[in-house]
Amino acid sequence: MRVAVLASGGGTNLQALLDQCRGDAAARVVVVISNKPDAFALERARRAGVATAVLADHADADELLGILHAHTVEFVVLAGYLKLVPGAVVDTYSDRMINIHPALLPSFGGQGMYGRRVHEAVLASGATVSGPTVHLVNAEYDRGRILAQWPVPVAPDDTAETLAARVLAVEHQLLPAVVLAAARAGRAVPLTSTNRHFDTRNGPVEVRDHLESVGDR
Ligand code: GRF
């Protein structure tokens, strides 16, 4: 499955995808696209020998569709992409475009909820559990169908930074798991936990050992 990754920042989730989608993996990152020319995600792509593109106008659907079509992209991953994807692109890739969000949607999402703000809101709420969500992309920020979530405990002494780091470590396992499951199934499929005894207090567990594709059942 030919995958495009859209990223605006450092691209650690992109790196996880690059690392886990190579060799004979069912998915391959074929292009990395950014709205920011200096996004480190682009450098990660270059180092991995993957094509890159910088959008002149992130609101221009034709520009983005042109890049996706030029690379025969079958599946789009938003990994720290901070702009709204134009509606025509969402329509073209409906059910074939996912986003990763660093909290348990539908809480702590929506426009403006990104980065540190998400984790600050989780801490302010008193929630004892957080964790990443992977969901399909639709016209609204963070509102598409949820495909996978992974609970991560909130520690009493957490700061936004410590919580973000704990969640991010799990993101790096959850996102490739969803992409590879979609590649194997030929469509985006929900993943569910198969292990009720997961415990991430001592660091992330191997998510792939505990997830199965509902679509494969
Ligand atoms: C991640 O926390 C992701 O959930 C959110 O943006 C962040 C991107 O981090 N959408 P990185 O650029 O992949 O390191």
Side-chain angles (χ1 to χ4, degrees):
M1 185 175 75
R2 295 175 65 81
V3 177
V5 178
L6 273 69
S8 303
T12 63
N13 278 290
L14 163 67
Q15 190 65 54
L17 284 168
L18 291 169
D19 292 346
Q20 294 188 43
C21 299
R22 59 180 171 202
D24 59 1
R28 182 172 299 270
V29 180
V30 295
V31 62
V32 174
I33 303 168
S34 186
N35 59 306
K36 291 179 70 176
D38 58 348
F40 189 66
L42 295 170
E43 179 59 23
R44 292 180 191 275
R46 286 190 282 267
R47 289 179 188 179
V50 171
T52 61
V54 177
L55 298 171
D57 177 3
H58 62 80
D60 180 352
D62 290 338
E63 182 187 11
L64 181 50
L65 280 174
I67 297 165
L68 296 172
H69 289 157
H71 291 274
T72 330
V73 168
E74 299 167 291
F75 199 82
V76 179
V77 177
L78 310 186
Y81 185 64
L82 296 179
K83 297 294 181 188
L84 198 62
V85 176
V89 183
V90 175
D91 290 347
T92 303
Y93 282 89
S94 81
D95 293 329
R96 295 186 296 149
M97 186 183 299
I98 62 172
N99 177 51
I100 184 157
H101 183 78
L104 296 173
L105 295 174
S107 298
F108 311 114
Q111 188 161 14
M113 281 297 264
Y114 62 87
R116 188 190 163 85
R117 274 183 243 174
V118 177
H119 304 290
E120 282 172 347
V122 170
L123 292 175
S125 77
T128 57
V129 180
S130 189
T133 300
V134 177
H135 62 94
L136 287 168
V137 173
N138 65 13
E140 278 179 277
Y141 279 103
D142 300 330
R143 283 289 176 222
R145 184 162 65 94
I146 290 171
L147 295 175
Q149 296 186 299
W150 191 258
V152 171
V154 179
D157 58 351
D158 262 338
T159 62
E161 285 72 28
T162 59
L163 179 57
R166 194 178 305 115
V167 172
L168 190 63
V170 176
E171 292 182 39
H172 296 160
Q173 298 180 63
L174 192 65
L175 185 60
V178 172
V179 170
L180 289 168
R184 286 191 289 265
R187 65 193 168 85
V189 286
L191 297 184
T192 186
S193 170
T194 56
N195 184 341
R196 293 195 202 154
H197 306 292
F198 57 76
D199 182 349
T200 56
R201 270 173 294 187
N202 297 314
V205 296
E206 276 295 315
V207 173
R208 281 165 299 164
D209 293 347
H210 303 292
L211 291 173
E212 72 176 18
S213 162
V214 174
D216 288 349
R217 276 185 191 160

